[in-house]
Amino acid sequence: MANYPTSFDKEDLLKCARGELFGPGNAQLPEPPMLMMDRITDISEDRGLHEKGHVVAEFDIQPDLWFFDCHFPGNPIMPGCLGLDGLWQLTGFNLGWRGWQGRGYALGVGEVKLTGMVRPDRKMLTYYVDFTKAIQTRRLTMGVANGRVEADGETIYQVTDMKVALSEN
């Protein structure tokens, strides 16, 4: 593991988006408005449900977020795919945080369950990513994880078998 802290504020996440945290050509987060978290509160390579690593992050919901105006006019709801993307972002962030090299790419997800919605009156999303596998060989760098998203403490999204790889291409 590289010597990074176990929590990150918004400015740290923006440094990651600019390629300044893990270095050029390595895992990056997207910049706003696609950055789907405001802070990472805890991260590891050996804790979590399976003791293979985890991430916990938070996203403050503001009524004026860009997606509420267009999805759907008169019935504002955060697209569920943005919650999934946030989980993928955090999965890739964990791989970079471990010091593993390469750019991150989402490879897929096993199952997605959406059981609630994010409307403008919600206050905060909490993301939980728990790794089931973290693989680094000469030819493959990949994380496999399960995740969930809570809105104000209520589980609204659950995913299994998210796959993110790092590639030097």
Side-chain angles (χ1 to χ4, degrees):
M1 183 194 81
N3 192 21
Y4 294 111
T6 58
S7 63
F8 297 85
D9 64 16
K10 183 72 170 256
E11 186 52 41
D12 295 326
L13 301 180
L14 294 173
K15 286 179 187 173
C16 183
R18 294 188 300 262
E20 299 167 3
L21 189 61
F22 303 132
N26 291 313
Q28 283 181 260
L29 290 169
E31 291 190 323
M34 283 303 298
L35 179 63
M36 297 307 300
M37 74 274 322
D38 291 307
R39 68 201 141 271
I40 293 174
T41 60
D42 197 25
I43 187 169
S44 76
E45 68 175 335
D46 60 0
R47 290 186 287 128
L49 295 175
H50 307 282
E51 298 182 349
K52 297 182 186 278
H54 84 291
V55 186
V56 180
E58 297 172 340
F59 183 44
D60 299 321
I61 301 300
Q62 307 295 329
D64 62 349
L65 285 167
W66 65 274
F67 46 77
F68 286 135
D69 284 339
C70 58
H71 190 266
F72 296 96
N75 185 24
I77 300 168
M78 176 179 150
C81 60
L82 294 180
L84 173 59
D85 200 69
L87 291 167
W88 270 325
Q89 290 173 24
L90 292 164
T91 302
F93 185 93
N94 183 286
L95 299 178
W97 176 86
R98 292 171 190 244
W100 295 358
Q101 303 291 301
R103 296 182 187 274
Y105 297 95
L107 297 177
V109 63
E111 184 176 23
V112 178
K113 292 182 183 178
L114 306 176
T115 57
M117 292 182 274
V118 180
R119 295 192 179 277
D121 62 341
R122 296 285 195 166
K123 302 298 180 214
M124 186 171 64
L125 298 185
T126 307
Y127 296 93
Y128 298 91
V129 174
D130 285 292
F131 281 76
T132 57
K133 292 180 190 165
I135 303 160
Q136 185 181 41
T137 67
R138 253 182 338 111
R139 298 182 53 178
L140 177 66
T141 300
M142 183 174 75
V144 181
N146 297 331
R148 79 178 188 279
V149 178
E150 293 181 359
D152 300 335
E154 172 193 351
T155 298
I156 59 166
Y157 308 152
Q158 292 179 287
V159 303
T160 59
D161 295 324
M162 290 183 294
K163 294 176 183 70
V164 174
L166 298 182
S167 172
E168 297 194 22
N169 295 335

